[in-house]
Amino acid sequence: FLSQTMEESEEGTGFGGGSDFSTDFLFDENGEGGDGGEGGEGVATEKAQPSRDSIIFLIDCSPTMLQKNSAGEIPLHLSIRAAIESMKDKIISSENDLISIVFYAAEKKSNPNDFPNIFVFRPLDPPDAA
């Protein structure tokens, strides 16, 4: 994705439509990532840096999500179940990732900005088994 985005930027279609954005700092003189092979002066290094994903499950709580579908299932329940299963996977595979669950079109509100009908069930934090 990064290389595609950078190519689009060079063509003038990405990052602000042809701005003076440069990605030269990411690559050495051979067009490869790394530190250039000397003294560690480059920005990128050969060592893999740990990555961290941030996932926000934004779940619709509108009345239509409470109506059974053709399979007799309630979409809201399916959405919550999918979020829980994803959290379980992240606990096992990527415990450093961040996960949040936010309900919108909810009857209650609970969020730092006091927006109506937004309920932050779980703030953006690493997953835990609790």
Side-chain angles (χ1 to χ4, degrees), residues 6-48:
M6 290 185 296
E7 289 172 11
E8 290 174 357
S9 175
E10 291 170 2
E11 296 170 5
T13 59
F15 291 112
S19 66
D20 292 329
F21 180 81
S22 172
T23 58
D24 294 340
F25 67 93
L26 294 173
F27 303 99
D28 62 15
E29 61 275 356
N30 298 322
E32 298 176 4
D35 64 2
E38 296 183 31
E41 296 173 7
V43 173
T45 64
E46 292 179 16
K47 295 179 184 177

Side-chain angles (χ1 to χ4, degrees), residues 15-95:
F15 291 112
S19 66
D20 292 329
F21 180 81
S22 172
T23 58
D24 294 340
F25 67 93
L26 294 173
F27 303 99
D28 62 15
E29 61 275 356
N30 298 322
E32 298 176 4
D35 64 2
E38 296 183 31
E41 296 173 7
V43 173
T45 64
E46 292 179 16
K47 295 179 184 177
Q49 299 294 325
S51 64
R52 178 185 256 190
D53 290 337
S54 296
I55 301 170
I56 299 175
F57 290 97
L58 186 58
I59 301 175
D60 183 5
C61 291
S62 63
T64 57
M65 290 291 287
L66 297 172
Q67 297 173 359
K68 289 184 179 181
N69 61 17
S70 59
E73 300 169 316
I74 298 173
L76 179 62
H77 294 173
L78 294 174
S79 300
I80 293 170
R81 225 177 291 143
I84 290 169
E85 289 302 316
S86 181
M87 286 180 67
K88 287 179 184 177
D89 289 344
K90 288 294 184 181
I91 289 170
I92 295 168
S93 66
S94 314
E95 62 185 21

